[in-house]
Amino acid sequence: MSLSRCSQMSFDEAVINKKLPKELLLRIFSFLDVVTLCRCAQVSRSWNVLALDGSNCKSHVITHCPLSLPKTLFKSFMCTFDFPLNGGTEGRVVENISKRCGGFLRKLSLRGCLGVGDSALRTFSQNCRNIELLSLNGCTKITDSTCNSLSKFCPKLKHLDLASCTSITNLSLKALSEGCPLLEQLNISWCDQVTKDGIQALVRSCPGLKGLFLKGCTQLEDEALRHIGGHCPELVTLNLQTCSQITDEGLITICRGCHRLQSLCVSGCANITDAILHALGQNCPRLRILEVARCSQLTDVGFTTLARNCHELEKMDLEECVQITDGTLIQLSIHCPRLQVLSLSHCELITDDGIRHLGSGPCAHDCLEVIELDNCPLITDASLEHLKNCHSLDRIELYDCQQITRAGIKRLRTHLPNIKVHAYFAPVTPPPSVGGSRQRFCRCCILL
């Protein structure tokens, strides 16, 4: 038996290990830096186990990732690596990281790593059982097998991003519901094989869900929303963009069951009407973000109810809500003092009078940061005058606002010198030449 082995065996039996419980030693180790912790891991077998436990580790961020990957790609390492990720090496690199970091790894983003597949993530799941946040956004090789591995080995998982992993099906959601009960945020945007059955299995076993991103899940219908509304009382964020089959019926059950809702995106859901705005106003007073672009059936009546009840609204995307008029802006200016971002692009009935009310409302002086007015043909330079006292205004969009002039923009900038103005002015056709018998053509013409 070697001398070092004898010394390790004797230290395992030392008084400190007998007097102090493992939980207390583990707590002490949680305050150590990386180098000291590694030294402690070499003292004895028992300390090696405790030092490499990882349950109380601190967070560290990779400082160098070559080949264009962002520096914040990997978080919560107990050590820093310098490694290339390219082509077919990505899977092997992920496996090596998981073997080195083990229980220390809490957060990992593999966003866009096309070379990572189910095999590498199975090894990762087996080694990194304390993982809490995992992004696999755009890892198109992975299938339901990866979610089975996460379910089996990673019970502490809270945030999972599977956006654009198009091979994911209901089987993945059922697996996650069985093994990851602490799940708080799930992104399965563009996983268009998911149906109501997968949603039902997920929400019944993960009552702590706070964020669901279902953008582009085109098979989802109102029944899926009824399951969410019935089992997710903690829900704060819900994205249903382009889920074109949903209607007021399903969304009303969300409003009635999810009173803590703060962010809702239903842009591109053309079937919804003012009924959903009434339901939000009556049930979701904490609403801060509402995106309803291209929902052309919404009117001033619905937005009036919403504004009068949801005073914490900060961001609203009303692009192509073609029926709204200045009446909506009047209500927002009166009742929504925290409004920061407002998109009114293609709302062709909006006039300078609506902008006047907005510019004199409670949100104007300190809150309003962005206003988008693209393709609002009735807007003139007078609107810019109404906005000159919005001292927090950072950006204004004015594409295809034919009655806006360069002079109006220049006057606005005298009051708001740092504002970003995005506008387009068609080139002026030169006037025809005077005199001479030869026919003239402007430079933009082509003589065939």
Side-chain angles (χ1 to χ4, degrees), residues 155-167:
K156 298 182 180 180
L157 193 62
K158 293 182 179 179
H159 292 226
L160 179 61
D161 187 349
L162 298 169
S164 299
C165 299
T166 53
S167 295

Side-chain angles (χ1 to χ4, degrees), residues 3-283:
L3 181 61
S4 60
R5 187 176 177 187
C6 288
S7 61
Q8 282 190 346
M9 289 181 65
S10 61
F11 193 87
D12 283 334
E13 299 173 356
V15 176
I16 188 173
N17 294 322
K18 293 180 179 180
K19 295 292 184 181
L20 291 180
K22 292 182 179 180
E23 292 77 13
L24 185 54
L25 282 169
L26 191 62
R27 181 62 175 155
I28 294 170
F29 285 170
S30 72
F31 293 99
L32 302 181
D33 59 60
V34 177
V35 175
T36 306
L37 197 64
C38 290
R39 288 172 179 166
C40 289
Q42 300 176 43
V43 170
S44 70
R45 289 179 180 175
S46 59
W47 278 32
N48 182 273
V49 172
L50 292 173
L52 299 180
D53 180 272
S55 59
N56 284 320
C57 64
K58 301 176 183 177
S59 295
H60 297 265
V61 180
I62 276 204
T63 58
H64 178 60
C65 263
L67 302 184
S68 76
L69 290 175
K71 292 183 178 181
T72 55
L73 179 64
F74 296 102
K75 297 181 178 179
S76 300
F77 282 90
M78 286 299 296
C79 46
T80 300
F81 293 94
D82 181 355
F83 56 87
L85 282 179
N86 54 11
T89 66
E90 290 181 354
R92 293 197 301 273
V93 171
V94 172
E95 291 181 13
N96 289 337
I97 289 173
S98 71
K99 291 174 182 176
R100 292 188 182 189
C101 296
F104 291 105
L105 188 59
R106 298 291 186 84
K107 302 177 183 180
L108 175 65
S109 174
L110 296 172
R111 183 184 180 95
C113 290
L114 302 179
V116 175
D118 293 330
S119 177
L121 287 166
R122 178 174 178 80
T123 302
F124 166 82
S125 302
Q126 291 172 330
N127 292 324
C128 301
R129 303 191 182 206
N130 287 320
I131 192 73
E132 296 178 4
L133 186 152
L134 178 62
S135 175
L136 302 174
N137 190 317
C139 297
T140 53
K141 283 188 175 182
I142 70 168
T143 70
D144 294 329
S145 176
T146 286
C147 289
N148 286 329
S149 299
L150 293 172
S151 171
K152 186 174 181 180
F153 301 111
C154 302
K156 298 182 180 180
L157 193 62
K158 293 182 179 179
H159 292 226
L160 179 61
D161 187 349
L162 298 169
S164 299
C165 299
T166 53
S167 295
I168 294 299
T169 73
N170 290 335
L171 295 177
S172 286
L173 301 192
K174 291 176 181 177
L176 292 170
S177 70
E178 294 169 0
C180 303
L182 302 181
L183 204 61
E184 294 180 0
Q185 184 168 298
L186 178 66
N187 188 347
I188 51 171
S189 297
W190 310 113
C191 297
D192 55 7
Q193 297 188 60
V194 170
T195 70
K196 64 181 187 305
D197 295 331
I199 297 296
Q200 180 181 16
L202 177 76
V203 298
R204 283 187 172 180
S205 299
C206 300
L209 277 170
K210 296 180 180 179
L212 264 178
F213 299 84
L214 307 173
K215 179 179 179 181
C217 294
T218 52
Q219 293 197 56
L220 296 184
E221 301 171 334
D222 289 336
E223 188 171 347
L225 303 193
R226 284 195 287 272
H227 294 310
I228 296 171
H231 295 91
C232 298
E234 303 295 320
L235 196 66
V236 173
T237 302
L238 179 62
N239 190 319
L240 296 165
Q241 182 174 338
T242 67
C243 295
S244 55
Q245 297 191 59
I246 66 173
T247 70
D248 294 336
E249 182 182 353
L251 285 169
I252 288 172
T253 62
I254 294 287
C255 297
R256 290 175 177 171
C258 307
H259 298 290
R260 299 187 180 186
L261 195 66
Q262 294 182 21
S263 176
L264 176 65
C265 176
V266 287
S267 294
C269 300
N271 295 322
I272 68 172
T273 71
D274 284 342
I276 181 57
L277 300 181
H278 291 301
L280 284 168
Q282 293 166 4
N283 296 281

Side-chain angles (χ1 to χ4, degrees), residues 321-447:
C321 291
V322 293
Q323 295 194 54
I324 67 171
T325 71
D326 293 338
T328 290
L329 298 192
I330 292 171
Q331 296 300 320
L332 293 176
S333 67
I334 296 172
H335 300 291
C336 301
R338 301 183 183 182
L339 197 60
Q340 298 175 14
V341 179
L342 179 62
S343 176
L344 299 167
S345 297
H346 296 273
C347 296
E348 298 184 358
L349 302 179
I350 298 296
T351 73
D352 294 333
D353 191 53
I355 302 301
R356 177 176 65 83
H357 282 88
L358 193 68
S360 60
C363 70
H365 190 268
D366 294 319
C367 292
L368 193 63
E369 297 176 359
V370 176
I371 184 166
E372 298 178 354
L373 297 168
D374 299 337
N375 294 94
C376 292
L378 303 181
I379 294 298
T380 73
D381 286 349
S383 285
L384 304 186
E385 290 294 318
H386 298 321
L387 294 172
K388 66 184 181 181
N389 292 320
C390 299
H391 300 300
S392 296
L393 198 61
D394 177 66
R395 175 167 59 88
I396 184 169
E397 304 281 342
L398 298 167
Y399 291 108
D400 270 335
C401 293
Q402 299 295 328
Q403 300 192 66
I404 295 292
T405 69
R406 287 185 172 87
I409 293 174
K410 185 177 181 179
R411 287 194 295 272
L412 177 65
R413 283 193 166 127
T414 61
H415 297 277
L416 304 172
N418 296 319
I419 191 172
K420 302 179 184 68
V421 180
H422 297 161
Y424 172 77
F425 296 92
V428 178
T429 302
S433 299
V434 179
S437 58
R438 187 164 62 89
Q439 186 178 4
R440 302 275 182 177
F441 297 91
C442 62
R443 293 180 181 179
C444 63
C445 295
I446 299 175
L447 185 63

